[in-house]
Amino acid sequence: MTTPFPFTAVVGQDDLRLALLLNAVSPAVGGVLVRGEKGTAKSTAVRALSALLPEVPVVPGCRFSCDPASPDPGCPDGPHEAGGGVERPARMVELPVGASEDRLVGALDIERALSEGVKAFEPGLLADAHRGILYVDEVNLLHDHLVDLLLDAAAMGASYVEREGVSVRHAARFLLVGTMNPEEGELRPQLLDRFGLTVEVAASREPDQRVEVVRRRLAYDDDPAGFAARWAEEEAAVRARIVAARELLPSVRLGDGALRQIAATCAAFEVDGMRADIVMARTATALAAWAGRTDVLAEDVRQAALLALPHRRRRNPFDAPGLDEDKLDETLEEFGGSDDDDPDPDPGPDGPGGGGGGQPEPDDAPQGDGDTAARPEAGEDGQPQPSGAGEQSAVGASEPFRTKVLSVPGVGEGAAGRRSRARTERGRTTGARRPRGALTKLHLAATVQAAAPHQRARGRSGPGLVVRRDDLRQATREGREGNLVLFVVDASGSMAARQRMSAVKGAVLSLLLDAYQRRDKVGLVTFRGTGADVALPPTSSVDAAAARLETLPTGGRTPLAAGLLRAHDVLRVERLRDPARRPLVVLVTDGRATGGPEPVALAGRAARLFAADGVASVVVDCESGPVRLGLAGQLAGELGGTAVTLDELRADSIAGLVKDVQRRAA
């Protein structure tokens, strides 16, 4: 067995270690979400925590870790008699991002269930994690259906496995710990709110601390057992302190003064629901117990707020998590008070609630326009703008708006999401087939139909159906998939009118919000001047795309063909990496092209490459003013897609746009 890196040997990361220890003292706090860049000891600290947890008494031979003092009456391995347990170390179970549903919740032997009526159940990871730690690395990349199962188990403290009327239930109470790199995408709000605490981690910029990190890591790699032995005394001290804090926890007094501060803080920061209040109360109580006190102080409430509120203040995926500490201190001071008037201790709330942002205002100062294919373009006031403008500074996006669904025609087989139709493991049943590998979703009627003709030959004599492996049929289902939405944005001088570019960015920002909600990957290609750039390779992080969009400068010529060719190359590479994910290209341009011989014709030839590959596309026509050339509409025809004006994109007419995309591709 591999010797884990000692928890007490982790350099720095004080907030991370504190959050993990508070959950070890009081699992009711609700787990920890660790956000940060790669290489910051996130996984190392989590794995090291399990070695500090006290041993767990279990019923001998029970696969579901029942407590011998109060065994689960519904345990599949039961019934158990109380008493007579054995102790074992607390488990830390890792949930792989690509795990199947059966691996998480367990699997029933459908063949035995149908033929013998026996509930033969193989426990999954939720059973293994009961009374321990369930650790999900890269939790933001976890499939949606696994997230739903985690939410259900975390809320009910139990896992239910249902297969065509055959069901098994077992207890599943665990400490949920997740780590993630925000650059790879954000969590769904429902799962984000389930984590009691959140911690932001980053590598130290202090040379001395970085030197110590390297020194300890090299020493551990050279001799893991010897390194762990040198830290054994510190590990034992922390383990003993956890046990002492657990014993003290029921005696900690959470008075009305602290409760008022907690409620006032949650109200001041406008967090949704009541879960934040409850988590703060439990965290403050655990902090007092960890400090060896029986009274919750204002400093405990302050620390609890810093750990429990930042991830609950986000109103959309583009808001950075965080807390205004000056506002926090003002609130605590305003509502700070004494508990002398209320000497009765409060037992604390019982029960298991998330979050803010703003938009930059666009600068309406007029700016010069760039080169066009035929003539200078009219500005927002109808007057021609000077051509050949150089680079202009970035402008802010206008306020985003709600969009209708842009979907890819046909039926795909990509990753689970909420945009386009696809054959998935979840959804409505559309047919049956022979299983490839393990059976996961039984089609009962098709299975019975396959087995029925062979009952006499198989010697059936009783009421039970004689089912063989070859009779089993897998249900085929249709649900929704996430797509790759590739934005190709014209940032040339012809788009540089500040009011128009602000509206363009607002439209793209709105589509990015929609992509976040529908679990899409997104990419961003921009073109201006002499070429095109991949501003953001395809990623699940829509907030990264929004950040690149916000700082996007404009100006120069319009190399439309270069932008299309670069986008085509991005799709070619992405098709090799993720062939099942279907793309949707959103081209944002006025259709004008400059630079080189016959730039418009060259752009048309580049557009036909997308049509030849059957790539779904939408052209957002940004042309404005009284003089309109209609080049974006022509370009949409070359792409095999459809065009919509910027004004139409804001309106309900997108519904017609989707029908046009589907009709053209049919």
Side-chain angles (χ1 to χ4, degrees), residues 507-588:
V508 177
L509 193 66
S510 303
L511 292 169
L512 283 171
L513 278 167
D514 184 67
Y516 165 77
Q517 295 166 351
R518 302 191 185 281
R519 315 304 288 168
D520 294 318
K521 291 179 73 173
V522 296
L524 178 63
V525 174
T526 64
F527 58 93
R528 66 185 183 91
T530 59
D533 296 308
V534 181
L536 183 72
T539 176
S540 298
S541 179
V542 296
D543 52 343
R548 305 291 171 86
L549 180 72
E550 183 178 349
T551 59
L552 178 66
T554 59
R557 294 181 177 273
T558 312
L560 178 55
L564 291 171
L565 291 173
R566 179 58 64 91
H568 187 267
D569 188 56
V570 169
L571 293 184
R572 178 185 60 80
V573 174
E574 192 63 20
R575 194 175 294 118
L576 297 175
R577 293 174 176 167
D578 192 357
R581 191 181 290 268
R582 297 185 296 161
L584 172 65
V585 173
V586 179
L587 175 60
V588 184

Side-chain angles (χ1 to χ4, degrees), residues 25-263:
V25 170
S26 175
V29 166
V32 185
L33 174 64
V34 187
R35 298 165 46 94
E37 58 198 29
K38 52 188 175 293
T40 50
K42 300 189 298 293
S43 300
T44 299
V46 174
R47 293 188 176 99
L49 176 68
S50 60
L52 296 178
L53 297 181
E55 291 191 336
V56 179
V58 297
V59 173
C62 178
R63 298 174 297 168
F64 301 88
S65 302
C66 280
D67 187 346
S70 57
D72 181 6
C75 176
D77 284 355
H80 304 299
E81 294 184 2
V86 297
E87 291 193 343
R88 63 157 175 81
R91 291 175 181 160
M92 191 197 74
V93 178
E94 293 194 43
L95 173 61
V97 169
S100 66
E101 179 179 336
D102 284 346
R103 183 71 187 99
L104 178 62
V105 301
L108 285 170
D109 189 331
I110 300 298
E111 185 175 353
R112 291 189 64 190
L114 288 177
S115 59
E116 304 174 27
V118 176
K119 294 182 181 179
F121 180 68
E122 184 65 28
L125 296 176
L126 290 180
D128 293 341
H130 179 47
R131 304 176 68 201
I133 301 173
L134 181 62
Y135 172 49
V136 189
D137 195 13
E138 306 292 353
V139 64
N140 50 326
L141 304 182
L142 199 64
H143 286 184
D144 275 2
H145 70 284
L146 296 183
V147 170
D148 293 335
L149 293 170
L150 274 180
L151 290 176
D152 290 341
M156 297 184 295
S159 174
Y160 292 84
V161 183
E162 302 281 349
R163 293 289 188 274
E164 281 70 34
V166 182
S167 63
V168 172
R169 172 219 167 268
H170 65 82
R173 292 182 295 275
F174 47 83
L175 169 59
L176 181 61
V177 180
T179 57
M180 60 174 283
N181 184 345
E183 293 178 357
E184 296 172 339
E186 286 293 345
L187 280 176
R188 285 172 52 187
Q190 296 94 328
L191 182 58
L192 191 65
D193 190 47
R194 287 291 179 182
F195 286 98
L197 310 180
T198 186
V199 178
E200 295 280 341
V201 296
S204 173
R205 297 298 182 257
E206 293 294 330
D208 291 342
Q209 196 171 75
R210 295 175 74 96
V211 166
E212 186 61 24
V213 170
V214 175
R215 181 182 292 118
R216 293 186 186 183
R217 185 68 207 192
L218 293 178
Y220 170 77
D221 291 340
D222 289 341
D223 183 10
F227 184 82
R230 291 195 293 274
W231 290 88
E233 186 176 345
E234 289 83 350
E235 293 282 285
V238 173
R239 191 179 298 110
R241 188 175 175 184
I242 291 174
V243 173
R246 283 186 173 187
E247 294 174 352
L248 183 62
L249 187 65
S251 303
V252 175
R253 176 176 178 268
L254 182 66
D256 277 0
L259 280 174
R260 280 194 297 271
Q261 287 184 317
I262 290 170

